[in-house]
Amino acid sequence: MPRRLKHLRNVFLFVLAGIMLIGCFGFGQWKISGYVTDDADNPLAGVTVVIKAKKTVTVTTGEDGKWSAAVAGDEAEITAVKEGFEFEPVVVKKASNKPVTIVGRPKLTINPASGYYEEAITVELAIAGDYAIYYTLDGSDPTAESTEYTAPFEIEETTTVKVVAINRVNEAHKQELTAEYEIHDPGIIKNGGFESGLDHWHGKSSDVQISDAQAYNGTYSVLATSRTETGSGPRQDLPADVLEVGQTIKVSAWVYYDAEGAPDERVFNLSFQDGDGWQKIVIAGSGTIKKGEWGLIQGSLVIPAEVDRGDAGVFPITMENPRIFIETSWVAEVDPAKDLFDYYVDAVSVFIVEEGSGD
């Protein structure tokens, strides 16, 4: 092949490779930029700007309210987030070269959002502009005579927070909101409300699955199915490093069942187990549950040094693998319909009772 033709071929291949690289690796992005202001045209700093295009890009505005990003795709949807403000999303086409202005207007906000929590939460309220914020925690409607919000506050139990923001210049301008917080402290149990799926839970002689068909609180519970014995159900390993023989633990759980053929009432246990064997199982709490109603299992247990099983022997508690599980009470002759039916469990808790606490 003549040298000139060979050279032209190499140039062509180089250009072709460049075009392919642009298509494969995103070269050919376009730049998008703009400003975020309040409704008085003042720049807003510290606003999170989310740009959804071929990929999602997140940037933050500077002191001058400016932001910019490189994106790919034919268009981009832009939203902005800042406590105390409300922003309308904006859609921009690739061909547009104009800066995008996003305007924030005062909006009463609460953080965190309503929901289920397994620990105390700190509530923050905000609204832009010249507003005073008032709130109540007893379910009553707030007014200018209610508690004024001056700093974040803590919620430690299930609470309804009602809030009103009143404009100081024109009291006719006001905004209201309500947030409901379900607080369930599970103690040393993890994911006691099953809002994080099956994290930390497994089935003892049964299958377990997350369900939203029933829930005592929050959105989810665990459903125990395919049980092979009365001493079976949802189980969780306890942290051995915080437990010891002689301690008192206080336990509770909520149970629901409505299986066809199941009895109108059934005794359920929340049991403590050391290891895998039946020999070191001790009932920590019990409750008689009515069919079609959520019922409470509760009780307390002083962790024993050993379990005496009579002719089977005496078995020391070693705390190498402490556990709890929720079961139907033991019977000598098992009736599958009356003893091995499916049931839901929610809001499980295990607390270590400190000496002198009075609990």
Side-chain angles (χ1 to χ4, degrees):
M1 178 183 294
R3 181 178 297 178
R4 179 175 176 79
L5 289 177
K6 187 175 181 179
H7 174 72
L8 289 174
R9 185 195 66 175
N10 290 340
V11 170
F12 172 77
L13 291 174
F14 178 78
V15 172
L16 180 61
I19 293 172
M20 293 178 65
L21 283 171
I22 290 173
C24 293
F25 295 100
F27 301 112
Q29 291 179 326
W30 49 289
K31 186 176 181 181
I32 187 170
S33 63
Y35 302 85
V36 180
T37 70
D38 63 16
D39 54 4
D41 205 30
N42 299 308
L44 292 178
V47 179
T48 300
V49 180
V50 181
I51 305 121
K52 295 182 180 179
K54 194 170 184 179
K55 293 183 178 180
T56 299
V57 179
T58 301
V59 295
T60 304
T61 59
E63 293 298 323
D64 55 2
K66 291 183 179 180
W67 59 271
S68 65
V71 298
D74 295 329
E75 66 178 29
E77 180 181 349
I78 308 163
T79 56
V81 180
K82 186 177 177 67
E83 296 296 330
F85 286 92
E86 179 179 41
F87 302 90
E88 290 290 334
V90 178
V91 176
V92 179
K93 301 291 184 181
K94 182 177 180 180
S96 176
N97 294 319
K98 296 180 179 179
V100 179
T101 300
I102 303 173
V103 179
R105 293 177 172 79
K107 181 182 180 181
L108 180 59
T109 59
I110 188 166
N111 186 48
S114 294
Y116 172 94
Y117 297 89
E118 292 200 342
E119 58 186 5
I121 59 172
T122 299
V123 176
E124 297 184 31
L125 306 172
I127 188 170
D130 192 11
Y131 284 81
I133 302 175
Y134 304 92
Y135 67 94
T136 63
L137 305 178
D138 60 1
S140 62
D141 293 329
T143 67
E145 304 301 318
S146 302
T147 303
E148 183 173 4
Y149 177 78
T150 57
F153 55 92
E154 192 169 84
I155 298 292
E156 297 181 338
E157 58 186 11
T158 297
T159 304
T160 297
V161 180
K162 291 189 175 184
V163 187
V164 63
I166 303 174
N167 190 282
R168 289 189 175 93
V169 177
N170 185 347
E171 293 184 357
H173 292 171
K174 63 176 64 176
Q175 295 186 29
E176 299 176 333
L177 63 77
T178 298
E180 296 183 353
Y181 298 106
E182 290 186 80
I183 310 294
H184 169 67
D185 183 356
I188 61 173
I189 286 291
K190 296 179 179 179
N191 187 29
F194 304 97
E195 299 302 298
S196 298
L198 286 175
D199 286 357
H200 306 287
W201 291 94
H202 58 277
K204 176 184 181 297
S205 304
S206 65
D207 293 332
V208 291
Q209 63 190 61
I210 293 302
S211 174
D212 60 1
Q214 294 288 340
Y216 176 72
N217 56 20
T219 303
Y220 303 101
S221 64
V222 67
L223 173 62
T225 65
S226 305
R227 301 170 59 239
T228 60
E229 58 186 16
T230 53
S232 59
R235 181 167 71 179
Q236 182 172 141
D237 296 342
L238 298 176
D241 58 337
V242 301
L243 290 173
E244 57 188 46
V245 168
Q247 279 180 329
T248 299
I249 57 172
K250 184 178 179 181
V251 303
S252 66
W254 288 84
V255 174
Y256 178 95
Y257 72 93
D258 59 2
E260 184 177 351
D264 292 337
E265 293 184 346
R266 188 64 169 82
V267 175
F268 283 77
N269 298 328
L270 197 160
S271 297
F272 171 86
Q273 182 180 24
D274 182 31
D276 287 320
W278 64 270
Q279 297 90 345
K280 294 191 285 186
I281 294 176
V282 185
I283 296 172
S286 294
T288 300
I289 311 302
K290 294 183 178 180
K291 184 177 180 178
E293 298 179 13
W294 280 100
L296 178 63
I297 304 171
Q298 61 181 342
S300 61
L301 169 72
V302 178
I303 300 175
E306 59 187 23
V307 179
D308 188 347
R309 290 298 183 189
D311 293 342
V314 176
F315 299 87
I317 299 294
T318 63
M319 286 297 188
E320 292 179 1
N321 192 11
R323 303 156 155 197
I324 59 101
F325 64 94
I326 296 89
E327 60 173 340
T328 47
S329 59
W330 183 86
V331 293
E333 296 183 7
V334 174
D335 181 328
K338 295 181 179 179
D339 303 311
L340 301 181
F341 52 84
D342 299 347
Y343 58 85
Y344 301 86
V345 176
D346 201 359
V348 184
S349 66
V350 176
F351 289 92
I352 299 173
V353 179
E354 302 295 338
E355 291 185 14
S357 66
D359 292 334

